PDB file of all heavy atoms in Angstrom:
ATOM      1  N   GLU C  80      -4.259   5.444  21.419  1.00  0.00           N
ATOM      2  CA  GLU C  80      -3.148   4.513  21.603  1.00  0.00           C
ATOM      3  C   GLU C  80      -2.537   4.110  20.263  1.00  0.00           C
ATOM      4  O   GLU C  80      -1.317   4.093  20.119  1.00  0.00           O
ATOM      5  CB  GLU C  80      -3.617   3.288  22.406  1.00  0.00           C
ATOM      6  CG  GLU C  80      -2.491   2.408  22.924  1.00  0.00           C
ATOM      7  CD  GLU C  80      -1.488   3.142  23.836  1.00  0.00           C
ATOM      8  OE1 GLU C  80      -1.763   4.266  24.305  1.00  0.00           O
ATOM      9  OE2 GLU C  80      -0.401   2.568  24.056  1.00  0.00           O
ATOM     10  N   VAL C 101      -0.035  13.141  20.988  1.00  0.00           N
ATOM     11  CA  VAL C 101      -1.407  12.936  20.499  1.00  0.00           C
ATOM     12  C   VAL C 101      -2.400  13.677  21.398  1.00  0.00           C
ATOM     13  O   VAL C 101      -3.337  14.322  20.916  1.00  0.00           O
ATOM     14  CB  VAL C 101      -1.735  11.427  20.438  1.00  0.00           C
ATOM     15  CG1 VAL C 101      -3.181  11.214  20.013  1.00  0.00           C
ATOM     16  CG2 VAL C 101      -0.784  10.721  19.472  1.00  0.00           C
ATOM     17  N   MET C 107      -5.868  20.500  21.472  1.00  0.00           N
ATOM     18  CA  MET C 107      -5.922  21.644  20.558  1.00  0.00           C
ATOM     19  C   MET C 107      -7.171  21.590  19.691  1.00  0.00           C
ATOM     20  O   MET C 107      -7.813  22.616  19.421  1.00  0.00           O
ATOM     21  CB  MET C 107      -4.655  21.652  19.682  1.00  0.00           C
ATOM     22  CG  MET C 107      -4.566  22.799  18.726  1.00  0.00           C
ATOM     23  SD  MET C 107      -4.581  24.399  19.568  1.00  0.00           S
ATOM     24  CE  MET C 107      -2.847  24.601  19.910  1.00  0.00           C
ATOM     25  N   SER C 121     -15.541  42.759  17.775  1.00  0.00           N
ATOM     26  CA  SER C 121     -15.908  43.726  18.810  1.00  0.00           C
ATOM     27  C   SER C 121     -16.954  44.686  18.270  1.00  0.00           C
ATOM     28  O   SER C 121     -17.048  44.919  17.060  1.00  0.00           O
ATOM     29  CB  SER C 121     -14.673  44.511  19.271  1.00  0.00           C
ATOM     30  OG  SER C 121     -14.251  45.369  18.239  1.00  0.00           O
ATOM     31  N   TRP C 148       8.849  17.473  11.920  1.00  0.00           N
ATOM     32  CA  TRP C 148       8.603  16.082  12.312  1.00  0.00           C
ATOM     33  C   TRP C 148       8.561  15.900  13.828  1.00  0.00           C
ATOM     34  O   TRP C 148       8.188  14.833  14.307  1.00  0.00           O
ATOM     35  CB  TRP C 148       9.723  15.180  11.738  1.00  0.00           C
ATOM     36  CG  TRP C 148      11.091  15.786  11.927  1.00  0.00           C
ATOM     37  CD1 TRP C 148      11.782  16.521  10.991  1.00  0.00           C
ATOM     38  CD2 TRP C 148      11.897  15.764  13.097  1.00  0.00           C
ATOM     39  NE1 TRP C 148      12.965  16.971  11.525  1.00  0.00           N
ATOM     40  CE2 TRP C 148      13.071  16.508  12.822  1.00  0.00           C
ATOM     41  CE3 TRP C 148      11.769  15.187  14.359  1.00  0.00           C
ATOM     42  CZ2 TRP C 148      14.092  16.690  13.758  1.00  0.00           C
ATOM     43  CZ3 TRP C 148      12.779  15.370  15.293  1.00  0.00           C
ATOM     44  CH2 TRP C 148      13.915  16.114  14.980  1.00  0.00           C
ATOM     45  N   HIS C 215       3.249  29.511  -5.047  1.00  0.00           N
ATOM     46  CA  HIS C 215       2.002  29.430  -5.821  1.00  0.00           C
ATOM     47  C   HIS C 215       1.162  30.696  -5.633  1.00  0.00           C
ATOM     48  O   HIS C 215       0.838  31.074  -4.510  1.00  0.00           O
ATOM     49  CB  HIS C 215       1.197  28.203  -5.368  1.00  0.00           C
ATOM     50  CG  HIS C 215       0.172  27.790  -6.375  1.00  0.00           C
ATOM     51  ND1 HIS C 215      -0.923  28.562  -6.699  1.00  0.00           N
ATOM     52  CD2 HIS C 215       0.081  26.691  -7.157  1.00  0.00           C
ATOM     53  CE1 HIS C 215      -1.641  27.959  -7.625  1.00  0.00           C
ATOM     54  NE2 HIS C 215      -1.048  26.815  -7.920  1.00  0.00           N
ATOM     55  N   THR C 224       6.308  25.947  10.418  1.00  0.00           N
ATOM     56  CA  THR C 224       7.115  25.654  11.605  1.00  0.00           C
ATOM     57  C   THR C 224       8.278  24.784  11.175  1.00  0.00           C
ATOM     58  O   THR C 224       8.088  23.762  10.502  1.00  0.00           O
ATOM     59  CB  THR C 224       6.294  24.926  12.683  1.00  0.00           C
ATOM     60  OG1 THR C 224       5.223  25.782  13.088  1.00  0.00           O
ATOM     61  CG2 THR C 224       7.145  24.611  13.904  1.00  0.00           C
ATOM     62  N   HIS C 290      24.216  29.546  38.831  1.00  0.00           N
ATOM     63  CA  HIS C 290      24.963  30.357  39.792  1.00  0.00           C
ATOM     64  C   HIS C 290      26.181  29.567  40.252  1.00  0.00           C
ATOM     65  O   HIS C 290      26.071  28.373  40.590  1.00  0.00           O
ATOM     66  CB  HIS C 290      24.071  30.718  40.990  1.00  0.00           C
ATOM     67  CG  HIS C 290      24.650  31.829  41.801  1.00  0.00           C
ATOM     68  ND1 HIS C 290      25.743  31.655  42.632  1.00  0.00           N
ATOM     69  CD2 HIS C 290      24.311  33.136  41.882  1.00  0.00           C
ATOM     70  CE1 HIS C 290      26.048  32.815  43.200  1.00  0.00           C
ATOM     71  NE2 HIS C 290      25.193  33.736  42.761  1.00  0.00           N
ATOM     72  N   ASP C 316       9.090   0.064  27.649  1.00  0.00           N
ATOM     73  CA  ASP C 316       8.854   0.839  28.871  1.00  0.00           C
ATOM     74  C   ASP C 316      10.158   1.180  29.582  1.00  0.00           C
ATOM     75  O   ASP C 316      10.217   2.109  30.388  1.00  0.00           O
ATOM     76  CB  ASP C 316       7.957   0.045  29.833  1.00  0.00           C
ATOM     77  CG  ASP C 316       6.515   0.097  29.374  1.00  0.00           C
ATOM     78  OD1 ASP C 316       6.198   1.024  28.605  1.00  0.00           O
ATOM     79  OD2 ASP C 316       5.750  -0.800  29.754  1.00  0.00           O
ATOM     80  N   LEU C 347      31.540  16.655  30.392  1.00  0.00           N
ATOM     81  CA  LEU C 347      31.358  15.979  31.687  1.00  0.00           C
ATOM     82  C   LEU C 347      30.843  14.559  31.526  1.00  0.00           C
ATOM     83  O   LEU C 347      31.201  13.662  32.282  1.00  0.00           O
ATOM     84  CB  LEU C 347      30.372  16.765  32.566  1.00  0.00           C
ATOM     85  CG  LEU C 347      30.845  18.119  33.078  1.00  0.00           C
ATOM     86  CD1 LEU C 347      29.741  18.783  33.909  1.00  0.00           C
ATOM     87  CD2 LEU C 347      32.112  17.985  33.912  1.00  0.00           C
ATOM     88  N   ILE C 429      13.244  38.750  31.371  1.00  0.00           N
ATOM     89  CA  ILE C 429      13.580  37.760  30.343  1.00  0.00           C
ATOM     90  C   ILE C 429      12.794  38.088  29.075  1.00  0.00           C
ATOM     91  O   ILE C 429      11.593  38.392  29.147  1.00  0.00           O
ATOM     92  CB  ILE C 429      13.272  36.335  30.856  1.00  0.00           C
ATOM     93  CG1 ILE C 429      14.347  35.928  31.881  1.00  0.00           C
ATOM     94  CG2 ILE C 429      13.218  35.348  29.716  1.00  0.00           C
ATOM     95  CD1 ILE C 429      14.099  34.585  32.546  1.00  0.00           C
ATOM     96  N   GLY C 482     -29.984  58.010   7.692  1.00  0.00           N
ATOM     97  CA  GLY C 482     -30.729  58.406   6.504  1.00  0.00           C
ATOM     98  C   GLY C 482     -30.139  59.599   5.793  1.00  0.00           C
ATOM     99  O   GLY C 482     -30.735  60.160   4.879  1.00  0.00           O
TER     100      GLY C 482
END
Side-chain angles (χ1 to χ4, degrees):
E80 193 58 14
V101 177
M107 182 60 87
S121 70
W148 44 264
H215 199 294
T224 298
H290 195 286
D316 283 339
L347 291 179
I429 286 175

